[in-house]
Amino acid sequence: MTKSSGINPPIAKKIQHKLEKHGDVRVDNYFWMKDRTHPEVLNYLKDENAYCDAEMEHTKAFQKSLFEEMKARIKEDDSSVPYKYNGYWYITKFEKGKDYPIYTRKKESLDNPEELLFDCNKMAEGLSYFKLVGISVSPDNKRISFGIDTTGRRQYTIQIKNLITDEIQEDKIENTTGSSTWANDNETLFYTKKDPITLRAYQIFRHKLGTNVEDELIFQEGDDTFGATVYKSKSRKYIIIACYSTLTNEYHVLNADNPNGKFEVFQPRVRGLEYSISHYDGHFYILTNKDKATNFKLMKCSENDRAIDKWIEVIPHREEVLLEDIDIFKNYLVISERDNGLNKIRIKRWDNSQDYYLPFDNETYTAYTTTNVEFDTESLRYAYNALTTPASVIEFNMKTQTKKVLKEQEVLGGNFNKDNYVSERIWATAEDGTKIPMSVVYKKGIKKDGTNPLLQYAYGSYGSTVDPYFSTIRLSLLDRGFIYVITHVRGGEYLGRQWYEDGKLLKKKNTFSDFVACSIHLIKERYTSSKHLYAMGGSAGGLLMGAIINMAPELYNGIIAAVPFVDVVTTMLDDSIPLTTGEYDEWGNPNDKLYYEYMKSYSPYDNIEAKDYPNMLVTAGLHDSQVQYWEPAKWVAKLREMKTDTNKLYLKTNMDAGHGGASGRFESIKEDAEEYAFLLDLEGISS
C-alpha cells in the first residue's frame, strides 16, 4: 500500500469565465491560470509542486537509487562516431560527471590534433537551462554559426564564432529557430526568425558579416498555417527555403554561389500537394504524393525546367509500402521505406548495376540512415537497435556489401545480457475491426497470468511513428517485472500514410479507441490486469492519456501524462497561442462548427465527469512553447474538483524548462526516476 503525506491537496480558486462559440457556451472556471506572470498562478504551481513532493517524499531515497542505477548504465565519458565533412572529422563527446556535450573537430585525419569548437558545460555555467543547436560551418571552414536557448522556449539566439581566432563575434541574432546556413561566399548567412508571440517560424533573413547593413528580409510566409525554414542542398549548390504545413509544401531555390540573387519558386503550393527536393547531377529528385500517391513516390526533373508536368517518375507509388526518405550519393540512391510497419533500406546504383535491400531479421527493430553528409563515397552510415538490442552505428560499403560496426551502445553495470529479454509483435482488434500492432518487451521467464505490471505507451499524432527502440532507462522497469508495450495506434504512420490519415481530423477518435482496444487485448491475453495496467504519453500523447481516462478509466491503475495537450477546443480557438494556426490540418479548425463539435466531444478538459479516475502524475513546463503550462494546470485543478475517488493526483511543473523538460543529460534522468518511482510505488515496489 502506498503512503500518503496527510497533507491536503491544493484547491484552485474558481472564477467563472464563459466561452461562447457557434451558440454553444462552455464555462471555464480556471481560465485565469493563463497569466504566467501573475503571483497567484505561480503560487498555485508552486503549491502543487510542494504537494507532489510531500506525497512522494517516502519515495525520495528510492528515486535517488533509481537515478544512480540508470546513470550507472550510461557510459559517461562517451563520444559519437566521427563523421567527415568538407575536409574535417567532427566529433561530439561527453566527459564523466558533466551534463552537456563538447564539440570538436580534426583536420583530414583522426590522428591529427583536436580543435575545440564548443564546451557546452562552460557555456551553461550558472544557467538552469541550456541548449545549443544548429551548428553550421562556413565552406572555407573558418567560421561556425550556432543557436543558444537558455529558457527552454525554443527561441534561439544565433551567434558566430571565428575558428581562426577562437573569438565569438559581436553579431547576435535574437528570436530565431537556431539554425542557419552559409552561402558559398563564406560571408552571407541565411536564417529563420520566429513570430515573438506565436513562435511561428515565418521570416527568412540574409545576414552579411562584417557590415553595418541591417539584415535583409528576403522572404515572409504570409499564410499563418505555414512555417518556413532555410537550408543548403547536400550537393552544396543550392540554398533552399522550405515552406511547410501539415498537408502542403512549397520550396524556393537560389544558387549558393549567388547569395544576393533572387530565390525562385520550385513548384507553387497546391493544397494537398506534399513534396520535398534533393539535388544531384543536374536534376532535382522529388519525393511527393502527386496524383494521389498516398504512400509517396519518387520523381525527378531537370534543374533548369522544374514545371510539374515535366516531372518524371523514378520509383512508382505502392499501396503497401511507404516511401519515407532518400539519401543521395554520387553513385548510389538510398531509399528508406516502411513495409508492414518495418523499416527497410534499399540501395540502388544510378547505373542500375545493383539494387538490393539491407537484410534485417526481426519484427521489433528500428533501422534508419544517419549522418551521411559526404557525397562522393561508397560508405553508408545507418543505425540499428531493437527492444532487446542496444543501438549500433554501422558503416556499410554499398559496393562490396560488407559492413563494419563503428560503435555499439555500451550498457554498463555488468549485468545486462540481451538474451535475458524477449520481444514480440502482437495485434489487437479495434472497434471497427482494424488490426492494431503492438511492440512488446519483457524479461524472460515472465508468466502471462494477469499479475504482471505493464506500462503501455503511445503517441499517435502528426504521422509521427514511435519505432520499437532500445532504452537503458527502461531496464529499471523490466528488471522489476514490468512488461513494456509500444502501441502503434492510428495517427502515427507505422502502417503507412493511410494509418495517419485514419487518426486525424474527423477520425481522431480512432487513436483513442485503438489504445483502449489494445489495453483490453493485453488484459484478455493475461499479460496484465486492470489492477496492474499503466499508460503513459506526452504532448499529443498526453491528449491520448486524457481521452482514455474519460473513455475507460476502469482499465488503468495509473497514468503518466507528460506536458499533455488537453484543452483542445480553447487552445485551437486561440490563434495567439504558439503553433495553433499551423495545427488546423491536424485537428481541424474549430471556427468551423463541424470541427468544433467533434473536438469538444473528445477534448479531455471539456469531458471531465464526476467519476473515479486512475492514479495520475501530470507534468508541465512553465516555459513550454508547444503545450502551454496552463493546460495541464487547469486539467489537474478540474479533475481534483470533479473526481469521486481517493486516488493520487499530482502536478509537477518544471519552473525552469519547456516542452522537452530539463536540458542536462543527467537532470532529465532525475525526471525519469521520479516517474518510474511513481509507477513502482503503486505496485508496492520500493527497491
Side-chain angles (χ1 to χ4, degrees):
M1 187 65 190
T2 59
K3 297 176 188 172
S4 170
S5 63
I7 296 172
N8 289 328
I11 302 298
K13 74 173 183 182
K14 290 160 69 171
I15 301 174
Q16 192 180 82
H17 184 90
K18 288 185 177 176
L19 297 158
E20 187 170 349
K21 192 75 183 177
H22 306 299
D24 179 55
V25 178
R26 291 176 303 130
V27 176
D28 185 353
N29 292 320
Y30 303 106
F31 192 84
W32 61 272
M33 290 188 187
K34 276 184 74 168
D35 182 357
R36 83 177 69 243
T37 61
H38 198 290
E40 280 193 80
V41 174
L42 293 173
N43 286 338
Y44 171 70
L45 297 177
K46 286 173 185 171
D47 287 348
E48 284 284 3
N49 279 353
Y51 173 67
C52 179
D53 287 341
E55 283 282 285
M56 291 189 67
E57 178 62 37
H58 67 283
T59 70
K60 284 288 189 278
F62 186 30
Q63 284 181 47
K64 190 169 187 302
S65 68
L66 279 171
F67 168 73
E68 295 298 343
E69 176 185 300
M70 293 168 177
K71 187 180 169 189
R73 294 194 196 102
I74 296 168
K75 191 171 191 290
E76 288 196 52
D77 51 341
D78 202 7
S79 64
S80 65
V81 176
Y83 69 87
K84 197 175 187 188
Y85 179 70
N86 200 21
Y88 281 82
W89 288 94
Y90 288 87
I91 303 148
T92 307
K93 60 185 185 180
F94 286 93
E95 290 183 349
K96 196 171 175 67
K98 293 186 178 176
D99 253 327
Y100 294 98
I102 297 165
Y103 296 96
T104 65
R105 70 177 184 175
K106 296 180 178 187
K107 191 171 184 179
E108 289 302 343
S109 166
L110 286 167
D111 297 327
N112 280 333
E114 192 168 65
E115 179 185 339
L116 177 67
L117 302 175
F118 303 106
D119 183 345
C120 294
N121 299 288
K122 287 190 175 156
M123 297 169 82
E125 280 175 7
L127 298 169
S128 56
Y129 183 92
F130 178 86
K131 188 146 194 179
L132 183 145
V133 299
I135 291 173
S136 178
V137 182
S138 60
D140 63 4
N141 290 309
K142 291 179 180 175
R143 292 190 180 95
I144 189 166
S145 58
F146 60 99
I148 285 176
D149 174 17
T150 57
T151 67
R153 198 151 173 80
R154 300 184 186 180
Q155 288 171 289
Y156 294 90
T157 299
I158 291 175
Q159 293 178 266
I160 298 157
K161 184 176 182 179
N162 185 317
L163 294 173
I164 307 301
T165 64
D166 208 33
E167 292 173 328
I168 290 180
Q169 297 176 198
E170 287 183 9
D171 315 63
K172 267 194 175 183
I173 308 167
E174 308 279 352
N175 193 35
T176 76
T177 60
S179 63
S180 53
T181 193
W182 294 89
N184 291 343
D185 65 352
N186 302 296
E187 299 290 333
T188 309
L189 197 65
F190 294 90
Y191 65 89
T192 313
K193 273 211 159 187
K194 291 186 163 189
D195 181 294
I197 305 299
T198 67
L199 305 189
R200 180 171 70 96
Y202 78 118
Q203 292 177 321
I204 310 293
F205 282 85
R206 179 163 36 214
H207 176 80
K208 289 281 190 186
L209 293 193
T211 66
N212 293 323
V213 179
E214 191 176 334
D215 289 1
E216 183 186 357
L217 174 65
I218 54 166
F219 177 81
Q220 180 160 315
E221 177 50 68
D223 184 333
D224 61 8
T225 69
F226 277 74
T229 187
V230 62
Y231 64 97
K232 190 186 269 187
S233 65
K234 186 176 170 179
S235 66
R236 306 180 199 174
K237 183 172 179 179
Y238 287 97
I239 305 288
I240 300 171
I241 293 173
C243 309
Y244 53 87
S245 74
T246 308
L247 294 172
T248 310
N249 303 97
E250 179 180 272
Y251 290 82
H252 303 241
V253 296
L254 172 70
N255 192 306
D257 290 332
N258 180 28
N260 296 317
K262 199 167 173 9
F263 280 82
E264 295 177 358
V265 177
F266 184 90
Q267 156 59 36
R269 67 190 66 176
V270 175
R271 179 160 173 83
L273 176 67
E274 296 176 64
Y275 71 97
S276 60
I277 57 175
S278 304
H279 174 257
Y280 164 69
D281 192 25
H283 288 85
F284 280 103
Y285 285 78
I286 309 145
L287 200 61
T288 180
N289 68 346
K290 181 179 178 290
D291 302 326
K292 298 182 179 173
T294 312
N295 274 334
F296 290 78
K297 59 184 174 181
L298 186 64
M299 306 186 81
K300 75 172 184 177
C301 66
S302 162
E303 63 186 332
N304 301 316
D305 189 358
R306 304 184 295 264
I308 195 165
D309 58 357
K310 301 291 175 62
W311 294 6
I312 302 161
E313 193 167 85
V314 179
I315 296 174
H317 174 254
R318 288 159 292 172
E319 288 295 329
E320 301 303 323
V321 180
L322 176 66
L323 192 54
E324 290 195 309
D325 204 0
I326 59 168
D327 287 276
I328 284 181
F329 297 88
K330 186 180 177 185
N331 296 317
Y332 296 89
L333 172 64
V334 177
I335 305 136
S336 297
E337 304 176 348
R338 187 180 292 276
D339 184 1
N340 194 29
L342 304 179
N343 304 127
K344 300 282 179 76
I345 298 174
R346 179 183 174 191
I347 294 167
K348 184 181 190 308
R349 269 189 79 98
W350 291 112
D351 64 9
N352 290 320
S353 61
Q354 284 179 300
D355 188 347
Y356 59 92
Y357 284 88
L358 291 180
F360 301 118
D361 55 353
N362 198 327
E363 268 214 332
T364 54
Y365 70 88
T366 300
Y368 54 92
T369 63
T370 58
T371 310
N372 290 289
V373 289
E374 282 290 283
F375 187 63
D376 187 2
T377 178
E378 288 173 338
S379 295
L380 168 74
R381 292 255 180 107
Y382 73 92
Y384 177 89
N385 74 97
L387 287 169
T388 59
T389 308
S392 20
V393 177
I394 296 158
E395 189 165 86
F396 183 81
N397 186 303
M398 295 182 278
K399 184 178 180 182
T400 63
Q401 297 188 39
T402 54
K403 70 179 184 183
K404 180 167 76 177
V405 177
L406 299 178
K407 180 177 181 180
E408 189 164 29
Q409 178 185 4
E410 291 183 58
V411 183
L412 303 184
N415 59 359
F416 173 74
N417 178 347
K418 65 182 181 184
D419 294 332
N420 291 339
Y421 303 88
V422 179
S423 68
E424 54 184 324
R425 185 164 69 157
I426 61 175
W427 302 73
T429 305
E431 282 180 351
D432 61 3
T434 304
K435 297 288 186 191
I436 313 299
M438 294 177 268
S439 298
V440 183
V441 63
Y442 50 87
K443 200 156 187 191
K444 198 177 274 181
I446 274 180
K447 290 185 174 64
K448 292 170 189 168
D449 58 6
T451 64
N452 304 302
L454 186 149
L455 179 58
Q456 185 184 345
Y457 177 85
Y459 183 72
S461 291
Y462 304 106
S464 176
T465 300
V466 182
D467 281 309
Y469 65 98
F470 182 79
S471 161
T472 61
I473 302 291
R474 191 192 298 139
L475 294 173
S476 291
L477 284 184
L478 300 182
D479 289 347
R480 289 173 173 84
F482 263 77
I483 297 172
Y484 186 87
V485 177
I486 298 170
T487 309
H488 305 293
V489 291
R490 282 174 284 186
E493 257 179 7
Y494 185 78
L495 290 178
R497 180 57 183 249
Q498 195 59 46
W499 203 245
Y500 169 41
E501 299 292 339
D502 289 342
K504 65 188 273 205
L505 296 172
L506 298 173
K507 296 181 179 177
K508 187 65 218 169
K509 288 185 192 175
N510 283 340
T511 305
F512 317 139
S513 56
D514 285 359
F515 192 93
V516 169
C518 288
S519 301
I520 290 167
H521 181 84
L522 290 164
I523 291 168
K524 183 169 159 258
E525 295 300 315
R526 297 182 62 74
Y527 282 84
T528 189
S529 64
S530 57
K531 284 184 185 170
H532 302 287
L533 178 57
Y534 302 90
M536 181 175 180
S539 192
L543 160 65
L544 171 55
M545 296 300 102
I548 63 163
I549 63 163
N550 284 334
M551 287 168 67
E554 70 285 351
L555 291 178
Y556 308 96
N557 189 38
I559 300 281
I560 295 176
V563 292
F565 170 45
V566 283
D567 191 11
V568 183
V569 182
T570 307
T571 290
M572 292 305 297
L573 280 168
D574 185 351
D575 59 14
S576 72
I577 292 176
L579 311 178
T580 290
T581 53
E583 305 274 304
Y584 289 157
D585 288 335
E586 179 72 24
W587 313 102
N589 182 347
N591 291 298
D592 177 330
K593 190 176 183 206
L594 176 68
Y595 287 104
Y596 173 88
E597 289 177 344
Y598 187 75
M599 266 181 211
K600 188 185 170 191
S601 73
Y602 69 73
S603 171
Y605 186 65
D606 291 293
N607 287 283
I608 294 171
E609 296 175 325
K611 63 183 179 187
D612 288 3
Y613 283 95
N615 296 286
M616 293 176 64
L617 172 62
V618 181
T619 66
L622 183 62
H623 302 291
D624 197 327
S625 57
Q626 317 299 107
V627 176
Q628 305 302 311
Y629 72 88
W630 60 75
E631 290 202 39
K634 286 166 49 176
W635 186 47
V636 167
K638 189 173 176 183
L639 276 166
R640 192 162 274 144
E641 174 198 349
M642 300 286 288
K643 72 191 192 85
T644 53
D645 57 80
T646 56
N647 288 332
K648 299 171 184 305
L649 175 59
Y650 304 147
L651 172 66
K652 191 67 183 279
T653 305
N654 187 326
M655 306 298 276
D656 298 316
H659 199 61
S663 57
R665 61 175 174 158
F666 298 131
E667 283 306 308
S668 63
I669 296 174
K670 287 177 183 169
E671 294 175 350
D672 292 322
E674 184 171 39
E675 289 169 358
Y676 280 17
F678 173 76
L679 296 175
L680 291 161
D681 186 44
L682 290 170
E683 281 293 313
I685 299 169
S686 58
S687 64

